[in-house]
Amino acid sequence: MDHSRKLHVQTWGCQMNVHDSARMADALAPAGFGAAATAEEADLVILNTCHIREKAAEKLFSELGRLRRVQQARAAAGGRLILAVAGCVAQAEGEALLARAPFVDIVVGPQTYHRLPALLARAEASPGVPVLDTEFPAEDKFAHLPPPVAGAARVTAFLTIQEGCDKFCAFCVVPYTRGAESSRPAAAILEEARRLVAEGAREITLLGQNVNAWHGAGTDGRAWSLARLLEALAALPGLARLRYTTSHPRELTDDLIAAHRDIPALMPFLHLPVQSGSDRVLKAMNRGHDAAFYRGRIAALRAACPGIALSSDFIVGHPGETEADFAATLALVREIGFAQAFSFKYSPRPGTPAADAPEQVPEAEKERRLAELQALLRGQQAAFNQALVGRRVPVLVTGPGRHPGQLAARSPWLQPVHFPAPAALIGTETWVEITAAHPNSLAARIEERHAA
Ligand code: SAH
Ligand code: SF4
Ligand code: F3S
């Protein structure tokens, strides 16, 4: 393939964005774009942005300031650096972004990046006239994207099956930036999974903003649920492991819980954000369930799959959150016990109902609550990792480790695992004994009978 031009992509935000960045590179490969390690070496820079919290959005503008100077230096040398802003800030701020940064050449939303080659052609033909496309088009983006560049697949791969969100939590921008919920048909998903496996993927993580809300046309003409889709994926030869993220508690249906019991390929780890342990706050957040519902779903999940480990997202300092509400969150965390978690200070987002709510929590109070919650969660994560020391664990070897002679692998519970072993094991599942626990990873040794 002709790689006469260079593309540099910078990504912020969730796994969906990480995956979208790879697909944007795929979309531009037929136009002759190969990868550049830095903006300085690139002809086109794409900033794939996140709007979820204020800090995430502000990073874009500081980076744009830097890139403007690169762009000016290039112009002075008689060349051109095209700057594109993609992702959720592009979608949410479109015109305002161009007013603030008029040197940006292309603004493209998460639902229209399959049109990048055409947008680029327009930008090239009209220097100084920015091109903006933040539509929610009727056509299916995935049907218009070229297949991923061969060989790009890794032992662990992402596969988008669902996009958008109809839940409208009071604090969240995603329904505005990603649009309405939509599910890809099972046939397209299975075809993409087969191709990923053929290229070497052994583990696939299904992606969606509300992945367990997936419901699509099945290959038998019936409507399938996520549980049914997982069953079909698990039957693909060569595919050893399956995961899905991010889930909503309300969509954790009984058949999906049963799938965790019945499908051995489905890994015993679930990221199930609860946000708060207080019923008052959950109501204000418009989450559509209370704390008892969450506890009940977790109990059912643990009954179906006793080894399952849990992860969650939390927001502290949501408007109206009192000390008693925060204590309810701590109590829920202590009771359930999480193997891992993400927690954030509430960040008011323009256009969302919570941003205009009275009773905003002072910043210092948010800081204090976050520190307290994170200390508790860190302790739980450390205890979870520590409890694995001395145990035999089946890991999926993903690639070389950081040190010579060492391999990197992934545990069933998503922890990175490192151990000395021959590179021939890459891409296989193997049993190891965990020898030490670190805050975010595990060390192991390979079992003798497998080492030979
Ligand atoms: N769809 C997922 C979450 C997607 S956003 C769900 O419903 O659980 C990822 C996480 O960012 C959320 O779970 C939430 O914890 C956090 N988040 C979203 N909006 C936020 C805001 N305004 N301030 C702080 N954290 C926020
Ligand atoms: Fe945002 Fe709520 Fe939708 Fe998750 S479910 S993406 S938090 S609106
Ligand atoms: Fe951020 Fe958009 Fe993902 S706002 S978290 S990049 S869906």
Side-chain angles (χ1 to χ4, degrees):
M1 195 173 281
D2 164 33
H3 280 168
S4 52
R5 296 194 284 177
K6 294 286 176 214
L7 165 69
H8 179 66
V9 188
Q10 256 171 276
T11 310
W12 292 276
C14 59
Q15 282 155 327
M16 204 100 182
N17 254 20
V18 173
H19 184 62
D20 286 347
S21 288
R23 302 308 309 266
M24 284 192 253
D26 294 335
L28 287 161
F33 280 94
T38 65
E40 282 75 5
E41 297 159 36
D43 302 291
L44 169 64
V45 171
I46 300 177
L47 302 177
N48 194 12
T49 60
C50 174
H51 203 241
I52 202 84
R53 285 169 291 274
E54 191 180 354
K55 231 197 230 156
E58 277 310 310
K59 279 185 200 148
L60 165 67
F61 289 100
S62 62
E63 187 57 20
L64 276 176
R66 187 184 80 82
L67 289 173
R68 184 183 194 182
R69 291 189 289 280
V70 180
Q71 195 186 42
Q72 284 168 335
R74 185 77 54 85
R80 185 165 177 209
L81 171 62
I82 297 191
L83 286 181
V85 178
C88 292
V89 180
Q91 189 66 45
E93 310 231 317
E95 301 278 351
L97 192 153
L98 282 176
R100 191 166 160 188
F103 51 92
V104 167
D105 300 283
I106 299 170
V107 173
V108 61
Q111 299 308 340
T112 44
Y113 65 72
H114 56 294
R115 298 177 180 165
L116 262 171
L119 300 175
L120 177 69
R122 274 169 57 198
E124 283 177 324
S126 58
V129 185
V131 178
L132 178 128
D133 189 347
T134 51
E135 252 189 75
F136 287 115
E139 82 252 23
D140 174 9
K141 159 176 87 191
F142 294 103
H144 288 77
L145 282 169
V149 176
R154 292 191 295 183
V155 177
T156 59
F158 289 133
L159 200 175
T160 300
I161 65 165
Q162 183 278 339
E163 288 202 278
C165 180
D166 297 339
K167 300 259 184 323
F168 291 92
C169 298
F171 53 82
C172 185
V173 291
V174 171
Y176 312 96
T177 64
R178 293 277 174 164
E181 272 179 18
S182 71
S183 297
R184 294 178 68 196
I189 295 166
L190 286 162
E191 187 191 314
E192 190 168 332
R194 273 190 210 100
R195 209 199 48 246
L196 289 167
V197 172
E199 288 173 4
R202 293 291 165 263
E203 174 178 299
I204 291 181
T205 301
L206 306 178
L207 291 182
Q209 266 88 20
N210 256 292
V211 74
N212 56 348
W214 183 90
H215 57 282
T219 52
D220 54 6
R222 297 174 188 214
W224 283 11
S225 66
L226 180 59
R228 180 68 189 86
L229 178 67
L230 287 165
E231 197 185 312
L233 286 162
L236 294 181
L239 184 57
R241 297 183 166 196
L242 277 169
R243 305 175 185 275
Y244 59 93
T245 199
T246 292
S247 294
H248 194 290
R250 261 159 60 198
E251 315 277 359
L252 183 58
T253 49
D254 290 339
D255 70 331
L256 192 49
I257 290 177
H260 280 275
R261 179 193 62 209
D262 299 335
I263 303 178
L266 190 53
M267 290 293 99
F269 179 87
L270 185 64
H271 181 65
L272 193 67
V274 64
Q275 315 297 355
S276 169
S278 153
D279 289 344
R280 277 187 63 241
V281 174
L282 287 168
K283 193 157 197 281
M285 286 177 163
N286 192 33
R287 291 290 288 179
H289 66 82
D290 58 14
F293 178 83
Y294 188 81
R295 287 184 166 90
R297 292 284 79 187
I298 298 294
L301 198 56
R302 283 181 164 156
C305 179
I308 200 160
L310 296 156
S311 158
S312 191
D313 291 344
F314 296 92
I315 295 177
V316 300
H318 190 270
E321 186 187 75
T322 63
E323 196 56 36
D325 294 320
F326 176 61
T329 298
L330 295 176
L332 179 131
V333 171
R334 282 197 197 95
E335 183 189 322
I336 290 183
F338 291 95
Q340 198 238 309
F342 300 98
S343 44
F344 313 98
K345 285 184 289 183
Y346 167 71
S347 171
R349 307 308 292 129
T352 59
D356 302 322
E359 310 178 88
Q360 297 287 329
V361 175
E363 194 58 24
E365 192 55 39
K366 289 188 210 170
E367 295 274 1
R368 206 211 83 231
R369 290 179 194 174
L370 186 68
E372 196 173 336
L373 176 60
Q374 290 189 335
L376 176 61
L377 290 166
R378 254 197 317 274
Q380 291 191 341
Q381 181 168 352
F384 179 76
N385 290 352
Q386 193 60 43
L388 287 169
V389 175
R391 270 186 57 183
R392 296 176 64 233
V393 168
V395 298
L396 176 66
V397 186
T398 51
R402 228 173 293 152
H403 305 295
Q406 199 192 49
L407 297 183
R410 190 178 265 188
S411 82
W413 310 283
L414 213 52
Q415 297 129 309
V417 184
H418 299 101
F419 53 93
L425 288 182
I426 292 171
T428 67
E429 274 188 301
T430 188
W431 285 85
V432 297
E433 184 192 324
I434 306 299
T435 54
H438 307 298
N440 299 304
S441 68
L442 302 169
R445 78 170 149 247
I446 192 148
E447 295 200 339
E448 289 306 322
R449 60 198 172 87
H450 292 278

